[in-house]
Amino acid sequence: DVETSGGGSYTSFIGTASDDTIAANNVDSVVQGRGGDDAIDISAPGANTVIFEAEASANGSDAVTGFTLGADSALADRIGIALDDTARDALRGDGSEFQITTGGEIGANVGLVVFTTALGNTSEATLETAILDNLTGLSEGDSFYFLAGDGTNAVLTSVDVGAGGSIAFSDSGEPHATFEDIGDLSGFTSANILGFEAAGAVTV
């Protein structure tokens, strides 16, 4: 069963290793589906946060609905990743930063890239082309999380850069999450991200 707890004006929902169905309630909610392919609905009012496991194989591939972009910092829905020191150290540089970009040079410590140009689809082939054609400064051994979409839906996946700049996706072969009807990612702001600081070269 999903574990639910509350404190003050928020509620947390912790899933299981199975496929869970979790819906935020009408106060600020923190949802961590953990393992399994979870169905997560955060359309309820409030500043709702979805936490994903660092490794895709431990997270499963979740379907998230109701994620709202562009809200002010007090009411923004947020994405977070449960990174311990080992998982953070495995990211590009020190993995502490995010970058919202249409393309160009990626900061040395960027562990999360939000690519705002709408793609034709969110297949791995299309994501790979978007990375290779638009992101520069990546090196063999780099790992980072990549959020990209088609203007309606989006996926969050992990990326490893291999020899010769080759691109490999999440260890499970599936994205961490699909965000259904999230809309145009050009509306994504720093308020929608938890656990990463803005890179010095953020392009919105």
Side-chain angles (χ1 to χ4, degrees):
D1 292 338
V2 174
E3 179 183 329
T4 304
S5 62
S9 59
Y10 78 93
T11 303
S12 64
F13 299 88
I14 307 297
T16 69
S18 300
D19 299 345
D20 298 311
T21 298
I22 305 173
N25 58 18
N26 290 324
V27 297
D28 298 349
S29 298
V30 178
V31 178
Q32 186 170 359
R34 302 187 73 87
D37 298 340
D38 304 311
I40 299 172
D41 179 355
I42 59 168
S43 58
N48 298 311
T49 302
V50 184
I51 306 292
F52 301 102
E53 305 306 308
E55 300 293 334
S57 56
N59 186 83
S61 188
D62 300 330
V64 180
T65 56
F67 193 97
T68 302
L69 295 176
D72 64 44
S73 59
L75 296 174
D77 289 339
R78 299 175 177 89
I79 293 168
I81 300 171
L83 293 166
D84 60 18
D85 290 343
T86 300
R88 179 82 71 180
D89 289 345
L91 297 176
R92 174 177 167 83
D94 66 17
S96 64
E97 297 178 341
F98 72 88
Q99 189 164 339
I100 301 173
T101 185
T102 58
E105 185 81 13
I106 299 303
N109 294 310
V110 169
L112 170 63
V113 175
V114 179
F115 187 67
T116 61
T117 301
L119 304 174
N121 58 65
T122 56
S123 69
E124 285 193 353
T126 300
L127 298 177
E128 179 179 12
T129 299
I131 293 168
L132 293 175
D133 289 354
N134 295 281
L135 306 185
T136 60
L138 300 176
S139 302
E140 181 178 345
D142 282 348
S143 295
F144 57 96
Y145 297 96
F146 188 62
L147 179 67
D150 60 10
T152 301
N153 304 316
V155 295
L156 174 69
T157 190
S158 55
V159 176
D160 295 311
V161 181
S166 62
I167 299 298
F169 291 97
S170 65
D171 57 306
S172 70
E174 297 288 340
H176 279 67
T178 298
F179 292 83
E180 299 175 8
D181 295 319
I182 194 173
D184 188 339
L185 291 182
S186 62
F188 206 97
T189 73
S190 59
N192 297 124
I193 299 175
L194 184 69
F196 293 88
E197 300 176 355
V202 174
T203 303
V204 177

